[in-house]
Amino acid sequence: AQSVAQPEDQVNVAEGNPLTVKCTYSVSGNPYLFWYVQYPNRGLQFLLKYITGDNLVKGSYGFEAEFNKSQTSFHLKKPSALVSDSALYFCAVRGDSSYKLIFGSGTRLLVRP
Amino acid sequence: EAGVVQSPRYKIIEKKQPVAFWCNPISGHNTLYWYRQNLGQGPELLIRYENEEAVDDSQLPKDRFSAERLKGVDSTLKIQPAELGDSAVYLCASSSPGHAGEQFFGPGTRLTVL
């Protein structure tokens, strides 16, 4: 069965510092991995995805994520956090033979000035 | 390009009343999804359409929920009758084959059942 775990309900970081939001997954076959961000009263906004190729994926707004097959992880990172990055972040996965996207429970990122 | 449009944005009803949500996907997107997002959780798939055909409705509570996508464009999700536990945000998303599974989400409809 497919599953996604985001072990941290909230991540706090100071503006200008690097940030990491953790995600681990379980899926049959090759994983398709996604990160989405959700601002208050807004829908989910796509940040980046891993399908195949380079393990380091670059996305919108300076975010990147590293795919680690042995650890079944896909952590979201940013070298220098902005206050405007404060939002709810969701990791999602699907197998390469399935359309069904499974979401994690979300991690709230709080960047303090 | 215009994004996924949903209406209404907010709906408050009393239990046992019917309610309907509407979604207009991105032009040219053949695949349409309805998700439910409970407070503090990630979205969960209710139903997926390929054009006008519901190809995965295994998670749709069919005793009270129904959906349609006439002509393979707009879609409507209905609940009749609503229960207190149906309070959630209902999200619509769409995708096309060329995006390797990337789904584009609408702003959602926040339903409150009193």
Side-chain angles (χ1 to χ4, degrees):
Chain A
Q2 299 176 160
S3 66
V4 176
Q6 293 183 243
E8 303 153 317
D9 289 337
Q10 183 162 313
V11 169
N12 298 305
V13 64
E15 187 174 30
N17 283 359
L19 69 88
T20 299
V21 182
K22 296 179 180 178
C23 171
T24 59
Y25 66 90
S26 174
V27 69
S28 298
N30 295 316
Y32 287 12
L33 293 153
F34 303 82
W35 275 101
Y36 285 84
V37 60
Q38 188 174 35
Y39 295 97
N41 300 315
R42 303 279 294 278
L44 276 71
Q45 185 174 342
F46 171 77
L47 278 179
L48 50 79
K49 65 183 177 185
Y50 172 84
I51 304 298
T52 186
D54 194 348
N55 289 344
L56 184 63
V57 178
K58 293 188 182 298
S60 306
Y61 313 118
F63 283 93
E64 58 189 27
E66 185 168 12
F67 170 63
N68 188 315
K69 186 174 183 177
S70 63
Q71 297 186 6
T72 60
S73 67
F74 190 57
H75 300 332
L76 181 70
K77 300 180 180 183
K78 187 173 183 180
S80 178
L82 300 173
V83 173
S84 58
D85 292 330
S86 298
L88 192 55
Y89 290 80
F90 290 96
C91 180
V93 67
R94 69 174 181 91
D96 56 1
S97 60
S98 171
Y99 278 96
K100 189 169 184 177
L101 201 56
I102 304 297
F103 285 85
S105 57
T107 298
R108 187 166 300 281
L109 174 65
L110 182 60
V111 182
R112 60 185 184 276
Chain B
E1 61 182 5
V4 176
V5 179
Q6 290 188 248
S7 69
R9 292 295 311 278
Y10 304 91
K11 190 73 176 180
I12 300 174
I13 61 171
E14 295 191 347
K15 62 180 180 182
K16 301 184 180 179
Q17 294 300 305
V19 64
F21 315 124
W22 174 81
C23 173
N24 180 247
I26 292 173
S27 178
H29 282 193
N30 299 331
T31 308
L32 183 145
Y33 312 77
W34 282 104
Y35 288 87
R36 177 168 59 191
Q37 184 178 17
N38 292 316
L39 188 64
Q41 298 181 22
E44 295 179 326
L45 181 68
L46 291 173
I47 189 168
R48 174 172 69 91
Y49 282 92
E50 292 289 345
N51 299 304
E52 65 274 9
E53 181 182 0
V55 295
D56 182 358
D57 63 356
S58 58
Q59 303 301 312
L60 191 72
K62 298 181 182 64
D63 57 336
R64 297 184 299 106
F65 285 66
S66 64
E68 61 182 13
R69 192 183 183 196
L70 300 176
K71 301 181 181 179
V73 181
D74 295 2
S75 178
T76 302
L77 178 68
K78 298 179 181 179
I79 308 175
Q80 183 172 6
E83 296 179 352
L84 295 177
D86 295 332
S87 295
V89 176
Y90 291 84
L91 294 165
C92 179
S94 67
S95 68
S96 66
H99 285 87
E102 176 185 338
Q103 297 178 21
F104 296 82
F105 285 79
T109 296
R110 182 178 297 276
L111 174 67
T112 301
V113 182
L114 303 176

